[in-house]
Amino acid sequence: VLTTTILYSQQKLSLNRCIELAMENNENIKIAKMDKKSAKSNILGSYQGILPSISSNLGAKYNKQGADQYTPSSSSSSYNIGVNYNQTLYDGGEWWNRIKIAKDEYNRAIISTKQVKQQIKSNVTQVFYNLLKAQRSLEVYKTARKYSSNRLEKIKEMYRLGEAPKKDYLKARVQ
């Protein structure tokens, strides 16, 4: 387990935390998750060719005629009710192909989401270690510069006192 951290905006971040942040905020992950969700709902929609459809209707009619003194009144009423049931018996295997295609698309979306996550993890890890390497290189450079400055001062003093030749002093200055 790596405990190396990077300072980011006054906050130390571990490699795992950097990966978590990338996974939470990356647009490609969000798109891949939405594609996966859409593909899953398309599976349900692909079953519409198999499932039957049922519809119903209900009606009532009432008629009243002749309500004056010369004609006798008459009334009539009628009622109707209907139920329709439709079921495709055979469509040449089309519905099974739609279901298979929808399931294949869902599996593709799962794989695509995993690939996007893996790519993000790889990119974050690479950038994390490149930054860590640059920080270490900077520390080494600062230490070497400090050492060179101290050595130059020492040789300069030795040259001033006559204990070191001028070529050693000039050599230290160049370094």
Side-chain angles (χ1 to χ4, degrees):
V1 177
L2 290 171
T3 57
T4 307
T5 57
I6 291 182
L7 200 63
Y8 176 74
S9 182
Q10 304 298 327
Q11 178 183 4
K12 288 185 179 183
L13 299 175
S14 66
L15 175 58
N16 288 335
R17 182 65 182 138
C18 289
I19 291 171
E20 285 175 19
L21 287 171
M23 295 292 183
E24 290 171 8
N25 298 313
N26 189 285
E27 290 299 317
N28 292 335
I29 289 271
K30 292 175 184 177
I31 291 169
K33 285 181 179 179
M34 291 301 291
D35 286 347
K36 182 178 161 185
K37 189 176 180 180
S38 174
K40 189 172 185 176
S41 68
N42 286 343
I43 291 175
L44 218 58
S46 69
Y47 282 92
Q48 78 180 22
I50 292 176
L51 301 175
S53 65
I54 299 174
S55 62
S56 64
N57 60 8
L58 178 64
K61 185 177 179 182
Y62 179 75
N63 260 344
K64 185 173 183 181
Q65 294 178 346
D68 61 13
Q69 56 182 322
Y70 302 112
T71 31
S73 69
S74 69
S75 65
S76 68
S77 58
S78 64
Y79 304 95
N80 66 12
I81 188 168
V83 176
N84 294 322
Y85 176 88
N86 291 319
Q87 170 73 55
T88 304
L89 296 176
Y90 183 71
D91 66 354
E94 234 179 271
W95 65 17
W96 295 113
N97 286 333
R98 278 194 300 263
I99 293 168
K100 185 178 181 326
I101 288 169
K103 287 181 178 178
D104 289 345
E105 284 297 314
Y106 178 66
N107 290 332
R108 183 205 54 79
I110 289 172
I111 291 169
S112 176
T113 301
K114 287 179 183 178
Q115 287 175 334
V116 168
K117 286 180 179 181
Q118 190 61 37
Q119 185 64 42
I120 290 169
K121 187 175 181 180
S122 174
N123 290 346
V124 170
T125 302
Q126 183 178 7
V127 169
F128 182 88
Y129 284 114
N130 285 343
L131 181 58
L132 195 60
K133 181 180 172 184
Q135 287 175 337
R136 298 284 190 243
S137 295
L138 182 61
E139 288 174 12
V140 168
Y141 173 75
K142 285 179 179 178
T143 303
R145 186 162 187 238
K146 184 178 177 183
Y147 172 76
S148 293
S149 294
N150 290 343
R151 186 169 178 268
L152 177 63
E153 288 301 316
K154 182 179 174 185
I155 291 179
K156 182 178 176 183
E157 187 62 26
M158 288 174 66
Y159 172 69
R160 193 181 64 76
L161 295 173
E163 292 180 11
K166 187 174 184 178
K167 74 173 188 159
D168 287 349
Y169 169 66
L170 294 174
K171 191 175 175 183
R173 258 182 85 188
V174 169
Q175 290 177 351

